[in-house]
Amino acid sequence: MTLLETYEQNGVSPAIYSFGQEILAGLKDRFEKIDEMAELNQGKVLRAMQEARVDAACFAATTGYGYDDVGRERLEKVYAAVFGTEAALVRPQITCGTHALTVALSANLLPGDELLSPVGAPYDTLQEVIGIRPSPCSLAEYGVSYRQVDLLPDGSFDYAGIRAAIGPKTKLITIQRSKGYATRPSFSVPQIGELIAFCKGLKPDVLVMVDNCYGEFVEALEPSQVGADMTVGSLIKNPGGGLAPIGGYIVGTRACVERCAYRLSAPGLGQEVGANLGILPSFYQGLFLAPTVVAGALKGAVFAANCYERLGFRVIPGGAEDRHDIIQAVELGSEAGMRAFCRGIQAAAPVDSYVEPIPWAMPGYDDEVIMAAGAFVQGSSIELSADGPIRPPYAVYFQGGLTWYHAKLGILKSLQCMADAGLLPGMNRAQ
Ligand SMILES: *Cc1c(COP(=O)(O)O)cnc(C)c1O
C-alpha cells in the first residue's frame, strides 16, 4: 500500500493529498530546526532527571496526607531544574491551567494591591479570576485592583503606557506568552525578558508572573530564565507530554512558590501535604516525552499555517514566521468555516472520531466555543485539537498532536471538509 492509498482510505482525496505534499516539500529546513530544538530540550529534561536521582521509588503511590512523598518532591526538583528556578509546585491537585494561575495570583496579591497586564487583555478564563467580568470570589472582590495596557497596533509593547501605569500599588505584573484566543502575536522568551527588565527597571520589587501555557519547550529558554518570578502552566498542555491526565505547575522563586503552596493547601501546611495517588509515572514519563511531542505539534502548526496561507486565509503566525508557542490561528471568516475545520480535526481523532463538534456555552468563556478534541485525556490540548469562540474574525485555534503524522492527517482532513463544504475557492488554483 502506498502513502496516498492510506490517506485515501482515511478520507483524503488525491488532490488534497498532493497539495499537502507540495506544501511539505518547502518545509524541510523548518522541520530540521524544530527537531534540533527538541534535541536540545530532551537533553535538558534528561539532565534534570539524572541530577534529581529519579528512581523506581519515585513512582510509588501515596495516599492520605502524603507526608514525605519522595516522588512528588523529586518531581518538583526536576521541574525546578528544567525551568532554572529555586522552587517548583507540580501537583495533580492543581486542576487546570486557570487554577494554577489563580493560585499564583491570589497567593501573591493582597487587598489594596494592583495587578497589571502590560500585554492587553488576559486569556478568557482569567478575566473572571481577576474580576474584569464580575464573578464570585474574583480578585476584585478581595480588593485587588487591575490595570491593563494594551499592545500597540503593530503588536509591540506600549512602553510609554506601561511606564505611566506602574505605580505605588502595582504589586504583580502578569504577562501571557501565548496569544490565547486573540489574534495578537505570541511573544518570544527574549521579548518577555526585555519587558520584564523594563518593568523591574521602573520598580525593582514588582513581581512578574508569566502565563506559560502552550509555550514550554518551544524555545531554548523559558520565561523563568529571563527574570520571571513565577512561570505557570498546565500539565494537559506541553509539559505533560500527553500522558499527564491532570495537573498544573508553578515554578519560580522560593518565596513566591511557598506562598502558592500555602494558598493551594493551607497556611502552615504548604508543600508538605498532597498525596500523589499513583499518578506520578505519567508526570515523569510525560515530561520526558514533552520535547518530542511539542516538536510534533510545532510541525503540525507550521504545516497548517502554510496550507491555509497558500489558500488565501489569514494565519497567525504567518507560514514563514518563527514560533513562540504551539498555537496556530486560522481566520476562517465564518461560523461555517469553523465548523468544517473542526469537523475535519475531529474525524481524524483516535477517540470520539464519529462525533460532530458543535458550539456550546463553555464555563469561563463569554461567547459560545466550538471544540474539536478526540483525545485520550479529556480536553487535553497537547493532543490534536482545534477550538475557538464563535465571534469575528471566526478564527480557529489549532494546536497539538501527540505525533506529527496525526497532526498531518488532521490538517488534511480539515482541508477536505472545507473543500466538501465549498469553502475552498482557492483550491482550484492550488491544484
Ligand atoms: C489554556 C490556557 C489557559 C487556561 O488553562 P486551562 O487549563 O484551560 O484552565 C490560560 N492561559 C493560556 C494562554 C492558555 O492557553
Side-chain angles (χ1 to χ4, degrees), residues 96-98 101 123 125-126 176 178 180 211 213-214 234 237 365:
C96 61
T98 304
L101 290 157
Y123 191 75
T125 58
L126 265 285
Q176 186 180 305
S178 170
D211 175 350
C213 282
Y214 291 128
S234 162
K237 294 180 180 172
Y365 297 84

Side-chain angles (χ1 to χ4, degrees), residues 180-231:
Y181 285 157
T183 46
R184 62 133 163 117
S186 296
F187 306 122
S188 72
V189 173
Q191 272 179 304
I192 291 172
E194 273 169 40
L195 179 56
I196 295 174
F198 178 79
C199 294
K200 294 210 173 199
L202 294 169
K203 188 165 187 182
D205 62 345
V206 79
L207 298 174
V208 176
M209 179 189 86
V210 174
D211 175 350
N212 205 26
C213 282
Y214 291 128
E216 299 89 352
F217 303 127
V218 173
E219 294 173 59
L221 288 178
E222 299 292 339
S224 43
Q225 294 166 299
V226 295
D229 298 277
M230 289 185 284
T231 300

